[in-house]
């Protein structure tokens, strides 16, 4: 029985690098997860399209982990990022390459990624967008934890101090130590109230702690390039 022809799916390029003579090895994010594929004739028209932040429709061929790109064409208006927004977009791409398992469908991550690119291009405040994306990514991958309750299920006390137990959640502590979070800051984070004093800086510290264990101790290149991430 003949195989049905491959169906095009929405995709964005996360990263591309030269491969063999005229090809490129490209990491894509799609609703079906992160896919790696060989793009033939990468110096032609297809190669000019295989760049980050361009919405594409791509046919992937092959059953192994390394696919081949069949048809590839634009699917909407490319997102133009520059300056700090560009560095932020590259940071999102690196997070997805490092954290998303290959061929593990996460359609909500794809949708949130596409929406975040649009928001970055519109010039919206960077840090709330980045913190929201980090949190949604961790939660969708099964690494999330409650922001409004501690590890025992008790509501957070606004005057309490908490530390993150990455594999469990927020634990209340009664002796001061470095790296703690105030209950009021965490409550503001749970409500995305970024006008609350300290909420954004606390969210940045919390996400760094939560992400670190899943990044395996290897620094993110994009974060080194852009210190605000």
């Amino acid at each position: 029985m003949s195989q049905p022809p491959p169906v095009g799916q929405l995709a964005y390029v996360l990263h591309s690098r030269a491969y063999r003579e005229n090809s490129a090895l490209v990491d894509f994010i799609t609703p079906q997860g992160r896919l790696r594929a060989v793009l033939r004739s990468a110096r032609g028209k297809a190669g000019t399209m295989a760049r980050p932040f361009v919405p594409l429709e791509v046919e992937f061929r092959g059953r192994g982990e390394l696919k081949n790109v069949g048809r590839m064409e634009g699917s909407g208006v490319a997102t133009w990022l520059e300056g700090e927004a560009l560095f932020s977009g590259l940071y999102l791409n690196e997070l997805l390459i490092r954290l998303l398992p290959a061929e593990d469908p996460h359609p909500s991550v794809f949708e949130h990624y596409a929406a975040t690119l649009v928001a970055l291009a519109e010039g919206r405040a960077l840090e709330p967008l980045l913190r929201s994306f980090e949190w949604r990514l961790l939660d969708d991958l099964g690494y999330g934890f409650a922001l409004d309750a501690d590890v025992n299920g008790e509501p957070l006390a606004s005057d309490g101090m908490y530390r993150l137990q990455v594999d469990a959640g927020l634990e209340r502590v009664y002796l001061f130590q470095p790296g703690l979070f105030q209950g009021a800051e965490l409550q503001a984070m749970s409500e995305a109230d970024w006008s609350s004093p300290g909420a954004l800086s606390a969210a940045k510290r919390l996400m760094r702690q939560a992400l670190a264990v899943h990044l395996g101790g290897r620094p993110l290149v994009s974060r080194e390039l852009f210190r605000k991430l």
Side-chain angles (χ1 to χ4, degrees):
M1 181 180 295
S2 62
Q3 294 292 326
V7 177
Q9 56 182 299
L10 297 175
Y12 285 89
V13 169
L14 297 175
H15 186 261
S16 177
R17 61 185 181 276
Y19 181 70
R20 295 181 177 170
E21 287 189 7
N22 298 310
S23 301
L25 197 60
V26 187
D27 284 293
F28 295 90
I29 181 174
T30 78
Q32 296 305 308
R34 180 176 60 81
L35 302 178
R36 179 167 291 176
V38 176
L39 175 64
R40 311 289 179 187
S41 303
R43 296 178 185 175
K45 179 183 176 182
T48 64
M49 297 176 62
R51 53 191 176 87
F53 318 129
V54 177
L56 301 168
E57 182 175 310
V58 184
E59 284 181 1
F60 295 99
R61 302 176 183 271
R63 293 187 172 185
E65 277 201 15
L66 184 60
K67 313 292 186 187
N68 286 295
V69 174
R71 177 178 60 85
M72 184 170 72
E73 55 191 45
S75 179
V77 179
T79 306
W80 182 255
L81 302 181
E82 56 186 357
E84 294 183 344
L86 174 60
F87 281 112
S88 298
L90 295 173
Y91 170 69
L92 300 186
N93 286 6
E94 190 175 6
L95 272 184
L96 291 170
I97 290 172
R98 294 280 297 275
L99 295 182
L100 267 187
E103 300 190 70
D104 189 9
H106 287 280
S108 62
V109 170
F110 179 86
E111 291 173 9
H112 194 208
Y113 173 78
T116 302
L117 292 184
V118 172
L120 287 172
E122 291 173 348
R124 287 172 51 187
L126 296 181
E127 292 209 37
L129 290 174
L130 296 177
R131 302 296 83 84
S132 173
F133 185 84
E134 291 163 343
W135 174 252
R136 291 278 295 274
L137 177 60
L138 285 169
D139 194 47
D140 206 83
L141 292 175
Y143 303 141
F145 48 88
L147 283 173
D148 57 357
D150 66 16
V151 292
N152 298 312
E154 297 292 330
L156 300 189
S158 59
D159 60 349
M161 299 294 291
Y162 297 85
R163 66 181 174 191
L164 176 63
Q165 300 279 22
V166 174
D167 58 348
L170 297 162
E171 178 186 26
R172 187 167 186 179
V173 296
Y174 296 90
L175 293 175
F176 179 79
Q177 53 190 275
L180 296 182
F181 301 91
Q182 296 179 5
E185 297 170 339
L186 296 165
Q187 290 170 339
M189 289 168 55
S190 71
E191 298 166 2
D193 178 10
W194 304 119
S195 63
S196 179
L200 269 177
S201 60
K204 183 175 181 177
R205 287 195 298 114
L206 184 68
M207 289 299 97
R208 281 205 171 194
Q209 288 184 24
L211 287 166
V213 67
H214 305 298
L215 291 171
R218 289 167 48 216
L220 290 161
V221 175
S222 52
R223 188 183 284 166
E224 294 299 312
L225 292 173
F226 186 40
R227 293 291 184 176
K228 291 187 178 182
L229 296 172

